[in-house]
Amino acid sequence: GNSVTQMEGPVTLSEEAFLTINCTYTATGYPSLFWYVQYPGEGLQLLLKATKADDKGSNKGFEATYRKETTSFHLEKGSVQVSDSAVYFCALLNTGGFKTIFGAGTRLFVKA
Amino acid sequence: NAGVTQTPKFQVLKTGQSMTLQCAQDMNHEYMSWYRQDPGMGLRLIHYSVGAGITDQGEVPNGYNVSRSTTEDFPLRLLSAAPSQTSVYFCASRPLEGNSGNTIYFGEGSWLTVV
């Protein structure tokens, strides 16, 4: 079946540090891949996505590249800010499927 | 632009009580779903619907019912609340076609405590 595995948190970084949150997936087809972000007390919102192999999604300084050979979609940001403190979810939607499958989420704390 | 609206935002129930979480979307999305979010377990799909009159089970459907009488509304019913149903519930929707057809839109969540 389809599944998403992402690194456990929490991740604690100082402001301006480099961020990587690892995400790997298992899927029977050719899924679309997503990163969603959840700020405290809010619902999830789309951060970025990629729909085919080697695509790079980017938004707000965050990037992730769809790597089919390693079944990965790692999230990166070169310089984090305090305002990036949130929970980050990796997700997939398989081609022709209805259900979006989410990872367990990784909580990020950024210290000033 | 309201998007996905959930009510209530907070609710405390006694064991055995029933209640309905309301969800409405104004984006004419065919697909709607309910997730629950628990610490360390991410989001788990409870039920989903691909259109009015069509519903199906997700990975954790027991203890919950849904119906989809209109495109806009997708209420989630707890039949007899149990402490294990204490959670944060999210309603979500997306279109099934088009350029944004694979991006899911979430409500702000409903915090439910069963005592």
Side-chain angles (χ1 to χ4, degrees):
Chain A
N2 301 327
S3 66
V4 175
T5 303
Q6 58 183 107
M7 62 188 290
E8 290 188 22
V11 174
T12 302
L13 296 173
S14 297
E15 208 165 23
E16 299 184 2
F18 184 85
L19 169 71
T20 299
I21 300 178
N22 290 337
C23 171
T24 57
Y25 68 90
T26 302
T28 54
Y30 300 94
S32 294
L33 301 174
F34 308 83
W35 278 100
Y36 284 84
V37 58
Q38 183 182 30
Y39 299 104
E42 299 183 8
L44 283 72
Q45 56 188 275
L46 179 69
L47 180 60
L48 54 84
K49 68 180 181 183
T51 58
K52 62 182 187 296
D54 299 325
D55 270 2
K56 178 185 284 188
S58 61
N59 187 25
K60 300 181 181 179
F62 291 89
E63 293 183 341
T65 301
Y66 189 141
R67 301 286 188 201
K68 192 171 188 302
E69 63 276 12
T70 55
T71 62
S72 65
F73 193 55
H74 304 320
L75 182 69
E76 296 182 336
K77 187 175 186 182
S79 176
V80 293
Q81 306 299 312
V82 172
S83 57
D84 294 327
S85 298
V87 182
Y88 293 82
F89 291 89
C90 187
L92 72 83
L93 174 64
N94 219 347
T95 306
F98 295 119
K99 307 174 196 177
T100 302
I101 307 299
F102 289 86
T106 302
R107 184 174 295 277
L108 170 66
F109 292 104
V110 181
K111 301 180 297 183
Chain B
N1 190 2
V4 180
T5 303
Q6 293 180 231
T7 56
K9 194 168 180 70
F10 299 99
Q11 182 72 49
V12 179
L13 284 180
K14 293 182 179 179
T15 298
Q17 286 185 320
S18 63
M19 77 158 297
T20 299
L21 298 176
Q22 301 291 342
C23 176
Q25 52 92 8
D26 62 357
M27 298 173 281
N28 203 33
H29 289 169
E30 299 92 342
Y31 178 89
M32 295 187 74
S33 56
W34 278 99
Y35 289 86
R36 59 178 289 173
Q37 183 179 25
D38 301 292
M41 304 191 75
L43 277 79
R44 293 182 292 170
L45 183 64
I46 304 171
H47 286 285
Y48 68 98
S49 166
V50 298
I54 305 169
T55 63
D56 207 345
Q57 296 181 349
E59 55 182 314
V60 288
N62 292 341
Y64 306 95
N65 272 358
V66 291
S67 60
R68 184 94 181 270
S69 56
T70 66
T71 299
E72 293 79 18
D73 300 301
F74 191 47
L76 178 72
R77 297 182 188 84
L78 280 71
L79 308 173
S80 177
S84 61
Q85 294 179 302
T86 293
S87 188
V88 184
Y89 292 85
F90 288 98
C91 181
S93 73
R94 67 177 178 89
L96 290 182
E97 295 179 357
N99 290 336
S100 64
N102 54 17
T103 300
I104 198 164
Y105 297 83
F106 284 85
E108 293 187 343
S110 296
W111 274 253
L112 176 66
T113 301
V114 182
V115 297

